[in-house]
Amino acid sequence: MSEGERNLRAVLQQSDASQQLQAAFAQATPAGKLYILVGLRRCDPAAFQKIIDSVARPNDDVEIARGCMISREPFRQLLSEIRDGRFDDYLSQPAR
């Protein structure tokens, strides 16, 4: 499990998860912003929608891990996958 995922899971256990995620968004790295959006989609859909409608969509690639494979994917593509709910079930699975 990546450090980002571990941190997101820890924040989502808090009663003020949405506030923590929203507060961290402005200072987050591109990868961090994606984690935050996954978390907000899960815990506060209204805040998620507000942020995703206004978030910049840079052309930068973001390093990701899928299973044991590490690669780089476009921020825009990952943002689209988050918007489509492709990571919703992942956080429901037990931490590995």
Side-chain angles (χ1 to χ4, degrees):
M1 178 186 312
S2 71
E3 182 179 346
E5 181 183 346
R6 189 175 3 269
N7 292 339
L8 176 58
R9 286 178 180 268
V11 170
L12 289 174
Q13 297 297 316
Q14 305 299 315
S15 61
D16 64 342
S18 177
Q19 291 82 8
Q20 287 187 48
L21 293 169
Q22 290 178 67
F25 191 82
Q27 295 82 27
T29 64
K33 288 180 188 226
L34 294 169
Y35 275 112
I36 288 168
L37 288 168
V38 168
L40 284 173
R41 182 172 163 88
R42 180 176 178 91
C43 73
D44 189 343
F48 165 79
Q49 195 60 53
K50 181 180 173 187
I51 290 175
I52 202 163
D53 286 345
S54 66
V55 71
R57 288 159 174 76
N59 288 322
D60 301 343
D61 286 347
V62 177
E63 186 173 283
I64 63 157
R66 294 191 194 244
C68 62
M69 302 296 295
I70 296 175
S71 62
R72 296 188 66 79
E73 292 188 18
F75 182 93
R76 289 179 181 194
Q77 176 185 327
L78 294 164
L79 189 63
S80 179
E81 290 178 21
I82 293 167
R83 183 186 294 260
D84 293 343
R86 304 216 16 227
F87 296 98
D88 290 357
D89 292 339
Y90 189 75
L91 289 173
S92 299
Q93 300 171 6
R96 296 182 231 137

